[in-house]
Amino acid sequence: MREDATAGQPKDSKGMSREELLALPVAVDLDTGNRALDLGRSKGYELAKRGEYPCKVLRLGNAYRVVTADLLELLGLAA
């Protein structure tokens, strides 16, 4: 019987690993920010629209971008 390579990790884990977080570009889309913060898509967009997202969000036309430096600081991973 084969062992699962992801043994010990939840199969439906939505969050991001430390390595994934540290490899993010300068700004990420709101869905990626939501995933990092373990927020649902609807809740994340609702918070961004109200200006209550837990870290800095830029509005570029119809798109939202989360500033990665603020995201990492919020998660305690700032360099």
Side-chain angles (χ1 to χ4, degrees):
M1 184 180 247
R2 265 180 42 196
E3 264 191 58
D4 189 355
T6 59
Q9 300 228 347
K11 298 228 186 252
D12 58 343
S13 176
K14 294 185 282 183
M16 297 178 76
S17 70
R18 184 176 197 276
E19 291 76 25
E20 288 174 313
L21 289 165
L22 294 175
L24 291 174
V26 174
V28 296
D29 61 23
L30 196 62
D31 288 333
T32 302
N34 292 342
R35 185 172 154 225
L37 296 172
D38 204 19
L39 289 173
R41 189 172 203 267
S42 297
K43 186 63 169 181
Y45 276 88
E46 177 186 327
L47 292 172
K49 187 175 182 178
R50 286 190 283 162
E52 297 176 6
Y53 203 77
C55 56
K56 187 171 184 171
V57 174
L58 306 172
R59 177 82 189 249
L60 304 172
N62 291 341
Y64 290 103
R65 294 283 181 217
V66 177
V67 177
T68 301
D70 289 347
L71 180 62
L72 293 176
E73 184 175 331
L74 178 68
L75 296 171
L77 297 174

